[in-house]
Amino acid sequence: MKSPEEDLLTDLGRLYGSLKRSFDRSMVERGASLARTKMLILIQKEGGTVRAIDIAERFGIAPRTVTEALDGLEREGLILRTPDPSDRRAKRISITPEGEAAVAVTEPIRQALSKRILVGLGPEEQASFHATIRKLLRCIDED
């Protein structure tokens, strides 16, 4: 018999998987990509200071996977990689005007999907849920 803690963690895992699949499916139906949008938004927010290793750490994915994704974004003209003045082996990544335009198209889609998913929770429930998630993240970070 599962403990309440195991049930909770199982449901959290299911929630994450369901959210990811729902976002991915909805974005693809609209000709967009959640992974690409999230990566471009991070690059946009960091203003040319982010490196591939930073992206890998932020998203919890393998550096090789990030490099392959960045290669595609660069081929499409959405990002630019320039030498890092403090580390000759690394490249700094910045978003191009074309990348900015791609975010301008896909970010409203992502925001609308977020609102649609959270519509079942009132503002107080959202705040409480968010506080709980942050508390769990702090526990994991401290571990």
Side-chain angles (χ1 to χ4, degrees):
M1 181 172 194
K2 282 186 175 182
S3 70
E5 293 85 0
E6 288 176 289
D7 281 343
L8 173 61
L9 293 176
T10 297
D11 286 347
L12 277 173
R14 287 182 51 223
L15 174 63
Y16 172 78
S18 293
L19 284 170
K20 186 171 179 342
R21 283 187 301 278
S22 178
F23 269 91
D24 285 340
R25 184 176 46 250
S26 294
M27 295 285 283
V28 166
E29 287 171 359
R30 292 162 176 82
S33 160
L34 178 61
R36 184 173 101 160
T37 298
K38 286 173 48 178
M39 194 170 291
L40 285 172
I41 289 169
L42 174 62
I43 294 166
Q44 181 182 50
K45 285 181 181 175
E46 296 297 326
T49 62
V50 70
R51 300 168 303 159
I53 192 68
D54 302 324
I55 295 170
E57 288 174 5
R58 183 81 54 93
F59 293 135
I61 55 180
R64 180 72 189 144
T65 303
V66 171
T67 299
E68 290 171 2
L70 292 174
D71 288 345
L73 293 174
E74 190 172 42
R75 273 192 307 275
E76 294 176 50
L78 303 176
I79 63 160
L80 181 64
R81 290 189 251 198
T82 56
D84 183 336
S86 63
D87 181 353
R88 66 180 184 186
R89 297 167 298 162
K91 301 278 186 190
R92 295 287 176 175
I93 304 156
S94 57
I95 194 165
T96 65
E98 293 82 1
E100 297 271 359
V103 170
V105 169
T106 58
E107 179 58 1
I109 296 168
R110 191 192 66 77
Q111 289 177 0
L113 293 170
S114 296
K115 286 181 182 175
R116 190 183 82 209
I117 287 169
L118 293 174
V119 74
L121 299 177
E124 288 180 14
E125 290 171 309
Q126 288 182 29
S128 175
F129 186 50
H130 194 191
T132 301
I133 290 170
R134 286 186 172 183
K135 188 173 184 177
L136 289 171
L137 288 170
R138 282 192 302 277
C139 290
I140 291 168
D141 289 344
E142 291 170 2
D143 190 22

